[in-house]
Amino acid sequence: MTLEDLIKKVIRETLLEEISKFIPNSSPTEGLRRFISFEQVMELTQMTKQGIFKRIREGRLKVYKPGRRLVFEESDVHQFILKNRKHYGK
């Protein structure tokens, strides 16, 4: 880890702590959205690219396009998985 990376890390942690003081009952990273790539969604859902595009067209899976890449909010993908899971057996 370089000195620059260490300074950035300390500044980031300090800012998150200060921000959390103004938001009662929340963690420092609460409210920050985490985005994952198309490939990560394919891995998590075990779906093909075509299957994911179908769910996007149907409005069942939300996608964002900042620039040229498609990204997904991690919490949206987890909700999609939970909503669409099937139970087998007893």
Side-chain angles (χ1 to χ4, degrees):
M1 178 179 279
T2 65
L3 180 59
E4 183 179 333
D5 293 334
L6 183 60
I7 292 170
K8 286 179 182 179
K9 181 180 177 184
V10 170
I11 291 172
R12 186 179 310 114
E13 289 172 355
T14 305
L15 284 173
L16 287 172
E17 287 174 19
E18 290 299 315
I19 290 171
S20 69
K21 291 178 185 176
F22 296 101
I23 304 172
N25 300 326
S26 68
S27 69
T29 57
E30 187 179 317
L32 297 179
R33 295 160 58 181
R34 183 164 187 264
F35 291 94
I36 57 176
S37 69
F38 200 95
E39 291 77 20
Q40 289 171 309
V41 174
M42 288 175 60
E43 186 177 320
L44 281 171
T45 61
Q46 295 296 301
M47 293 173 63
T48 64
K49 190 180 277 191
Q50 293 82 8
I52 293 172
F53 278 121
K54 179 181 177 185
R55 290 353 179 258
I56 293 169
R57 281 192 306 274
E58 294 171 348
R60 294 170 54 192
L61 192 55
K62 296 178 191 174
V63 67
Y64 301 89
K65 189 174 181 187
R68 303 181 110 199
R69 294 183 53 207
L70 296 177
V71 294
F72 300 79
E73 193 169 341
E74 187 176 33
S75 62
D76 289 342
V77 175
H78 287 292
Q79 287 175 1
F80 171 79
I81 292 169
L82 290 173
K83 187 186 255 186
N84 293 288
R85 68 181 174 184
K86 296 186 183 343
H87 298 280
Y88 295 101
K90 293 183 177 183

